């Protein structure tokens, strides 16, 4: 999404947590500072403009500082994409620890609340409207056994998106979420391993079954999500707000 928006002319602040912080964050890979720098370099090499900023979305002060950085670098903030999320703390409800529940909700839902709050404050102060894009999930539209915290956080984003759309519509700020089904990112690959093992299936069987459920016959690509993101940021989407849009090859239809 950062690369696609930069290609469309957006000046981009690339953010990630940058380093593990807390026990839950050492269990899986998280985005490092050098990975952020690589994206910035790719964007610059392609003729775009980008800077990197470490931001732990669980901390309101980090999110506020990231918005300030965008304004300091580029003069204003027109778009925020609330994308940070964790999907690797999975357990059925009877075995789900409070610490894991809290971490998932803190990143996936509270982090987006901070992003919306500080971006909207800036957009209202500067005038001219804005675009807020939240990355929800297919898990915002249905339950998944073994994923109560993740599913709850993503369902929460639907309500947060609708409420923010109502609160900020008068300022010309649109607020929408994108609901992807499976995309084989770092998080997606981990989930494939986890769920295929949990169901006693081979990885290939599990993926074939998944493709079989999808009317368009393939899993999602990061470019599919980036395309929807670019559309929602464009003038073509001026009259769309408060929506939670499936990008799922037809797997979700509501
Ligand atoms: N991959 C999928 O199949 C899929 C499907 C639906 C929705 N999503 C959602 O898409 C978004 C992006 O996920 P992805 O698939 O690219 O996974 P990913 O693991 O590659 O990316 C998620 C990023 O969030 C970062 N992050 C985690 N905690 C953070 C924190 N406290 N502060 C800042 N950054 C933090 C991680 O470091 C990581 O780089 C997530 O919100 C995820 O829930 C993914």
């Amino acid at each position: 999404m950062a690369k696609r928006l930069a290609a469309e002319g957006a000046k981009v602040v690339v953010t990630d947590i940058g380093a593990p912080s807390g026990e839950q964050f050492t269990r899986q890979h998280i985005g490092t500072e050098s990975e952020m720098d690589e994206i910035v370099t790719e964007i610059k090499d392609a003729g775009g403009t980008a800077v990197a900023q470490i931001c732990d979305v669980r901390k309101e002060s980090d999110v506020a500082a990231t918005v300030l950085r965008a304004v300091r670098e580029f003069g204003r903030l027109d778009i925020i994409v609330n994308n940070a999320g964790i999907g690797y703390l999975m357990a059925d409800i009877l075995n789900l620890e409070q610490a894991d529940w809290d971490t998932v909700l803190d990143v996936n839902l509270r982090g987006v609340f901070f992003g919306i709050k500080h971006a909207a404050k800036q957009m209202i102060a500067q005038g001219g409207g804005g675009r807020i894009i939240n990355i929800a999930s297919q898990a915002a539209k249905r339950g998944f056994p073994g994923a109560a915290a993740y599913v709850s956080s993503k369902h929460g984003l639907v309500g947060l998106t609708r409420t923010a759309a109502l609160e900020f519509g008068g300022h010309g700020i649109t607020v929408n979420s994108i609901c992807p089904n499976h995309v084989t990112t770092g998080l997606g690959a981990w989930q494939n391993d986890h769920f295929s093992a949990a169901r006693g299936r081979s990885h290939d069987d599990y993926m074939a079954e998944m493709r079989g459920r999808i009317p368009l016959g393939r899993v999602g690509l990061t470019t599919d999500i980036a395309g929807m993101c670019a559309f929602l940021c464009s003038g073509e989407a001026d009259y769309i707000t408060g929506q939670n849009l499936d990008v799922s090859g037809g797997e979700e239809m509501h």
Side-chain angles (χ1 to χ4, degrees):
M1 288 184 286
K3 287 191 266 184
R4 173 68 194 269
L5 292 180
E8 301 281 349
K11 295 170 181 162
V12 178
V13 181
V14 176
T15 76
D16 209 311
I17 190 170
S21 157
E23 202 256 324
Q24 281 87 356
F25 285 80
T26 54
R27 291 194 212 159
Q28 278 301 317
H29 165 80
I30 59 162
T32 61
E33 226 177 319
S34 61
E35 284 171 315
M36 291 161 59
D37 290 339
E38 273 171 39
I39 304 280
V40 167
T41 304
E42 272 187 65
I43 289 173
K44 285 183 174 166
D45 288 349
T49 305
V51 294
Q53 167 89 19
I54 288 180
C55 173
D56 182 341
V57 300
R58 293 171 299 169
K59 297 182 187 154
E60 185 163 13
S61 55
D62 273 24
V63 177
T66 303
V67 169
L68 278 180
R69 174 87 191 274
V71 175
R72 204 169 62 240
E73 294 281 346
F74 305 131
R76 53 188 287 121
L77 179 75
D78 298 302
I79 298 166
I80 186 167
V81 181
N82 293 304
N83 179 54
I86 55 176
Y88 55 80
L89 297 172
M90 300 277 181
D92 54 37
I93 292 170
L94 296 180
N95 294 306
L96 182 59
E97 299 292 339
Q98 184 191 327
D100 288 355
W101 168 275
D102 287 347
T103 302
V104 173
L105 271 290
D106 286 354
V107 176
N108 294 11
L109 190 53
R110 194 177 76 188
V112 178
F113 155 59
F114 290 152
I116 292 173
K117 177 179 171 182
H118 288 278
K121 225 178 237 179
Q122 173 60 31
M123 288 168 182
I124 291 167
Q126 72 197 12
R131 296 285 200 257
I132 296 176
I133 319 284
N134 305 320
I135 306 303
S137 171
Q138 177 181 32
K141 302 287 182 84
R142 66 162 82 180
F144 285 92
Y150 187 78
V151 167
S152 302
S153 71
K154 296 299 185 178
H155 274 68
L157 279 185
V158 171
L160 182 58
T161 299
R162 289 177 176 154
T163 302
L166 291 170
E167 291 192 10
F168 303 128
H171 298 280
I173 299 167
T174 68
V175 188
N176 294 289
S177 88
I178 301 175
C179 300
N181 62 338
H182 175 74
V183 183
T184 308
T185 55
L187 180 157
W190 183 90
Q191 289 181 345
N192 293 339
D193 292 343
H194 176 81
F195 285 119
S196 56
R199 288 165 199 176
R201 307 285 301 276
S202 77
H203 185 271
D204 287 353
D205 272 5
Y206 176 79
M207 293 306 290
E209 186 191 304
M210 187 188 289
R211 282 193 297 275
R213 288 197 302 267
I214 301 170
L216 292 180
R218 66 166 176 82
V219 299
L221 302 171
T222 54
T223 47
D224 295 320
I225 313 310
M228 175 57 92
C229 184
F231 166 71
L232 287 172
C233 294
S234 77
E236 302 293 317
D238 274 352
Y239 198 52
I240 299 174
T241 196
Q243 305 304 306
N244 298 280
L245 296 151
D246 299 321
V247 179
S248 70
E251 191 180 2
E252 290 302 325
M253 295 191 180
H254 61 102

